[in-house]
Amino acid sequence: MKHILALVTLALLSVTTYAHNPNAEPPTKKMKATTSVQHIVLFKFKPETTPEKLKEIVAAFEALPSKIKEIKDLKWGLNNSPEDHAHGLTHAFILTFDSVKDRDAYLPHPAHKAFGTIVGPWIADLTVVDFANQGK
């Protein structure tokens, strides 16, 4: 019982020490630099793009990981930001690659090129940004 009481006391002291010391640094999770690459694609579609066409485009994008082994992950969603900075971009896709080499293999891949022929006629604007975590 004394051991438990001592542990609880130490835990409370460490919490209150941080809470009452305005100069104390909050605990942070260290981020490590990585070789993986995030490939972010943002689309603005032409006004005449129908909901059916958008479903076809999204389905074609979602199929890419099954056709291109270098894609390690795919996430996508619709813009829902309350800030007015999207410039009409509505759909966001994030592809993850293990390396720049894998990303570079994806770009000319026939399945990626075929997707471009599906989506290309419907794009009003497009933004692409790639990055690797720089870490601390």
Side-chain angles (χ1 to χ4, degrees):
M1 182 70 175
K2 287 183 180 180
H3 288 92
I4 293 172
L5 184 59
L7 287 173
V8 170
T9 303
L10 283 173
L12 286 173
L13 281 173
S14 66
V15 168
T16 57
T17 300
Y18 172 73
H20 294 291
N21 184 352
N23 297 323
E25 289 290 323
T28 58
K29 181 178 177 182
K30 296 287 183 188
M31 306 243 341
K32 294 182 181 177
T34 179
T35 59
S36 68
V37 173
Q38 304 300 307
H39 178 72
I40 302 169
V41 183
L42 307 171
F43 289 117
K44 175 181 177 180
F45 292 100
K46 293 178 181 175
E48 63 269 21
T49 309
T50 65
E52 294 77 20
K53 183 52 74 174
L54 286 172
K55 285 181 184 178
E56 178 187 332
I57 290 166
V58 168
F61 211 135
E62 288 179 317
L64 288 177
S66 67
K67 299 175 180 180
I68 305 173
K69 67 179 174 60
E70 287 82 6
I71 299 172
K72 298 305 175 197
D73 191 34
L74 167 66
K75 295 178 182 155
W76 78 273
L78 300 175
N79 177 43
N80 65 9
S81 175
E83 299 177 293
D84 189 23
H85 301 295
H87 307 285
L89 298 162
T90 58
H91 289 67
F93 295 84
I94 302 174
L95 295 158
T96 301
F97 299 93
D98 282 341
S99 65
V100 168
K101 180 182 171 188
D102 285 353
R103 187 270 325 269
D104 291 349
Y106 157 80
L107 294 173
H109 193 284
H112 179 235
K113 295 293 187 183
F115 171 73
T117 64
I118 294 168
V119 71
W122 304 99
I123 295 175
D125 197 5
L126 168 73
T127 297
V128 177
V129 177
D130 294 355
F131 73 93
N133 181 42
Q134 298 299 300
K136 289 186 177 186

